Amino acid sequence: MRLSNLADYAVIIMRQAASHCGDGRVSAAELAKETGLPVPTVQRLVSKLTGAQLLRSVRGAHGGLQLARPAAAISVADIIEAVEGPIALTACIDSNDCDFEAACEMKPHWPIINTALRGALADIPLTQLVHAEELA
């Protein structure tokens, strides 16, 4: 299993935004410069992260972006779901387009696996990513 580039970049952007906690707000252009990601990509992801209520955009002279809630209350699962939708290893849970569905013995087990995967990612708060270099 591999995250899409956009989900990976969203985690990077959120980690960088969290590093600004207490320092006021940061612009999408600043996040792009600090992370080395292209400005259009950052703007696109900021839109998704704002829509998912993980970032808040404040207008005005002292405007910019800030976390919508404390970093400890934002998990890696929240960030990935903001970009990719519900965390699931297979698509068959959400649709009935499988040619083997009638004979599939795994379908009842996928929700258990998906829940465990989401739980593992939900157990990683954004604060852990911000302070990871302090632990190394």
Side-chain angles (χ1 to χ4, degrees), residues 25 29 40 58 77 90 123 128 136:
R25 296 171 181 95
V58 179
T90 63
D123 285 342
Q128 185 174 338

Side-chain angles (χ1 to χ4, degrees), residues 87-90 92-94 104-119:
I87 294 170
L89 290 177
T90 63
C92 69
I93 300 303
D94 298 329
C104 182
E105 294 181 13
M106 273 306 295
K107 189 166 183 170
H109 303 286
W110 282 118
I112 298 164
I113 296 166
N114 291 338
T115 299
L117 176 61
R118 191 199 186 283

Side-chain angles (χ1 to χ4, degrees), residues 8-94:
D8 179 25
Y9 298 160
V11 173
I12 292 168
I13 290 166
M14 288 296 291
R15 185 212 171 277
Q16 192 62 35
S19 74
H20 286 275
C21 284
D23 296 336
R25 296 171 181 95
V26 63
S27 71
E30 289 171 306
L31 287 173
K33 183 178 179 184
E34 293 170 1
T35 60
L37 296 171
V39 173
T41 301
V42 172
Q43 290 171 329
R44 185 167 137 201
L45 288 169
V46 161
S47 177
K48 287 181 175 277
L49 295 165
T50 301
Q53 300 178 345
L54 298 178
L55 287 176
R56 177 180 22 236
S57 178
V58 179
R59 296 180 188 264
H62 301 337
L65 299 163
Q66 63 185 156
L67 298 181
R69 54 187 192 251
I74 298 172
S75 72
V76 171
D78 296 330
I79 300 166
I80 292 169
E81 288 179 332
V83 175
E84 296 197 350
I87 294 170
L89 290 177
T90 63
C92 69
I93 300 303
D94 298 329

